[in-house]
Amino acid sequence: MVCIAPSILSADFSKLREEVIALEQAGADMLHLDVMDGHYVPNLTFGPQIIKAVRECTRLPLDVHLMVTSPDEMLEWFVAAGADNITVHAETCPHLDKTLQTIHSLGVKAGVSLNPETSEKVLEYVLDKIDLVLVMTVNPGFGGQTFIKEQLQKINRICEMRQDRHFKIEVDGGINAQTGAECVAAGADILVAGTAVFAGGNYKDNIKALR
Ligand code: DX5
Ligand code: ZN
C-alpha cells in the first residue's frame, strides 16, 4: 500500500487549520512539512512554531523535511514541536551516522534525503540506522517543479540495497498520478505531493488519483 504525504508548502497559510483538517478528511496518510532556511535552499518557509501549530490540528504523523544548512543544531526544536519523522539531507551532515543516532535518541524516526545528484552510495554504511530514505525528484527549494526521471534508477537501486530491512522509500518533487506510479513501480512506498494534491481544491479526488 502506497502512502500519500501531502506537502503543506502548497497550502493556503492564511487558513492553515482548515487546510490541515481538510487534508486529514481527504485521506492523507501523513503530512509533509518542508523546512527551508534560505541558505541551504534559495527559499525560506517556516520553523518549529508552525509545526507545533499543525500538531495541534491533527493526529496524522508529521514528516519533517529539513532543508537547512545546520540541521544538527535544530533537531531538538522539531521534536519538541511534535515531529514524528525528521529527515535530514545527507549533503548537510558532516557526521551523518551521529546525526541519525541523535534523531533516534530524541525518540523519533530518522530519514535521510538525497539531492538529485547525490549517489545512493552515501547510504551504504547507515542502512541499519534509517527509517526512511527521501529521494528528491526535483532540486529542493520550491513546489511545482518538473520530475527528474533519472531518479527512478536511484529508487530502484535503493530498493535493491534495502534487502530485508524495513526502511521506507519516499519520493518528493513533481509527483503526480503518472510520475507517482512510475516511482511506486521502481520501489517507492511514500509519495510526497504539493501541487498535485492542492490543484483545483478537491483534495480527496487528488489523493485518490495519486493512490
Ligand atoms: C521541494 C519540497 C517538496 C515540495 C513538493 O523542495 O521538498 O516537498 O513541496 O512540491 P510539488 O509536489 O509541487 O513538486
Ligand atoms: Zn519536501
Side-chain angles (χ1 to χ4, degrees):
M1 261 293 271
V2 63
C3 278
I4 309 297
S7 165
I8 68 154
L9 194 59
S10 299
D12 179 346
F13 278 72
S14 69
K15 49 169 190 163
L16 193 52
R17 175 184 290 272
E18 289 100 303
E19 292 280 61
V20 168
I21 293 168
L23 290 168
E24 183 164 355
Q25 287 173 348
D29 297 298
M30 60 173 85
L31 296 181
H32 185 81
L33 297 142
D34 289 303
V35 176
M36 305 185 190
D37 68 353
H39 291 274
Y40 182 59
V41 290
N43 194 8
L44 189 59
T45 58
F46 51 78
Q49 203 171 356
I50 296 287
I51 290 168
K52 187 165 174 274
V54 171
R55 176 77 291 162
E56 285 161 12
C57 306
T58 182
R59 296 171 100 160
L60 289 176
L62 301 185
D63 179 36
V64 174
H65 177 193
L66 296 182
M67 287 161 276
V68 301
T69 302
S70 305
D72 293 297
E73 295 167 19
M74 304 178 181
L75 299 172
E76 287 183 36
W77 305 350
F78 292 102
V79 174
D84 295 280
N85 308 337
I86 296 188
T87 296
V88 293
H89 270 261
E91 303 86 355
T92 62
C93 296
H95 307 289
L96 181 61
D97 182 280
K98 185 157 179 259
T99 301
L100 295 172
Q101 288 189 45
T102 304
I103 296 172
H104 281 143
S105 75
L106 293 169
V108 299
K109 290 183 178 160
V112 177
S113 184
L114 305 178
N115 280 335
E117 76 282 6
T118 301
S119 169
E120 68 287 349
K121 292 194 178 104
V122 303
L123 300 171
E124 189 175 358
Y125 293 97
V126 293
L127 286 172
D128 291 316
K129 291 177 179 155
I130 51 185
D131 301 296
L132 189 75
V133 176
L134 176 57
V135 176
M136 288 308 300
T137 43
V138 298
N139 285 289
F142 300 93
Q145 302 181 76
T146 304
F147 180 80
I148 300 172
K149 64 176 187 326
E150 287 78 5
Q151 300 307 309
L152 291 170
Q153 196 180 351
K154 189 189 288 178
I155 297 164
N156 243 310
R157 288 186 181 157
I158 294 168
C159 213
E160 283 167 14
M161 289 166 80
R162 176 160 60 178
Q163 297 177 356
D164 56 358
R165 296 176 184 89
H166 298 293
F167 64 80
K168 303 281 188 215
I169 302 173
E170 181 176 31
V171 291
D172 185 7
I175 300 299
N176 54 37
Q178 192 200 319
T179 57
E182 288 169 7
C183 289
V184 170
D189 308 293
I190 305 170
L191 305 179
V192 174
T195 305
V197 167
F198 286 87
N202 189 335
Y203 306 162
K204 194 170 186 176
D205 282 357
N206 291 345
I207 288 173
K208 209 161 133 195
L210 283 164
R211 214 184 281 286

